[in-house]
Amino acid sequence: MTIKHVTVSGSGLMGTQIAMQAALSGYETVCYDVSAPQLEKARGFMEDWFCRRVEKGRLTESLAGEARGRLSFSSDLASAAGKADLVVDAVPDVLEIKRSSLRALDQHTPAHCIYASNSSYIVSSRFCDVVRDPSKVLNIHFFNPALVMKIVEVVRGPHVSPESFETALRFVESLGKTPIPIEKEIYGFCVNRMFSALTREACYLVDAGVASPRDIDTAVKGALGHAMGPLETLDMTGLDLEYHVYMERFRTSGDAADLPAACLTEHYARGEYGRKTGKGFYEYGKGGAE
């Protein structure tokens, strides 16, 4: 299957960057969102990013202009999805939201369209039944920031056709990324299963008063050689996302051990989601984390 038209559903930071990457890679791309103000915010991010890349000499004005021309923003679902060969689902990582979003998209996409969910944890077999052809639904998991990170997990569920899987792998490669084939569905896939174990322990140490967030991150970076500490990383990816991930896991398992850590719950309740709100485990000013 040849992909020419890409639709990204959800214009948050991840959705916007995935849409920009697709446009930069030559695809006619639509970034869709139900919220017009959110789309304007996404458009502003795009313009600012392209301007800064051109000013720094990392992108020519010509290439930036071509990419801008291939990327449009829309709050009209029918027009956004009507020509899509591939839809990237970048809506919040909540099962019912994903099911509702894909069900609505399937009313307007061509029959050959592939649905690729950017979920960080939720396997596609949990929402593939809402579309006409479940064999065309799979996970393509980008990492934050999507314009920078090269690794992308491509997950083969038991319902996914070989053609859909191979098309998804080729699509990821065409974006200049390195696809990691995940041959069996598992909650959290590969990277986030390992990362979740680290962040759960880091949050436990905070809750138990063993060490401060800064000292925990310093220890992990210095002793384990990580570029960022686990709590710094949570602030970057969003504490709201992490909270919803744990809550979704708890709703599935019913096991209290899967509930989010106390410190994570407290930050979420206060609206402290990390970098996006200016405060999480750290406070963020113009000079960075404080």
Side-chain angles (χ1 to χ4, degrees), residues 61-142:
E61 185 65 58
S62 174
L63 289 175
E66 290 173 8
R68 284 192 188 95
R70 286 189 288 263
L71 178 55
S72 60
F73 298 84
S74 176
S75 58
D76 182 83
L77 182 57
S79 63
K83 294 182 178 180
D85 300 309
L86 182 141
V87 169
V88 179
D89 148 48
V91 301
D93 235 357
V94 178
L95 180 60
E96 286 310 314
I97 295 178
K98 291 195 174 296
R99 290 177 64 85
S100 176
S101 174
L102 288 183
R103 186 182 293 112
L105 282 159
D106 198 49
Q107 304 297 312
H108 303 285
T109 51
H112 66 267
C113 181
I114 291 175
Y115 297 92
S117 175
N118 187 51
S119 173
S120 302
Y121 288 85
I122 306 173
V123 295
S124 64
S125 60
R126 298 192 65 197
F127 46 76
C128 67
D129 60 306
V130 303
V131 304
R132 287 163 289 178
D133 187 353
S135 74
K136 292 182 169 63
V137 183
L138 74 165
N139 293 98
I140 297 182
H141 178 220
F142 293 80

Side-chain angles (χ1 to χ4, degrees), residues 205-219:
L205 294 174
V206 172
D207 286 345
V210 173
S212 70
R214 187 174 300 279
D215 287 337
I216 292 168
D217 283 339
T218 299

Side-chain angles (χ1 to χ4, degrees), residues 34-75:
V34 295
S35 169
Q38 180 61 43
L39 286 171
E40 284 306 307
K41 184 177 179 181
R43 193 192 304 275
F45 175 87
M46 177 197 72
E47 293 294 345
D48 181 64
W49 189 87
F50 278 128
C51 286
R52 285 187 286 109
R53 297 289 286 186
V54 170
E55 287 173 0
K56 293 179 180 179
R58 297 179 181 176
L59 190 67
T60 67
E61 185 65 58
S62 174
L63 289 175
E66 290 173 8
R68 284 192 188 95
R70 286 189 288 263
L71 178 55
S72 60
F73 298 84
S74 176
S75 58

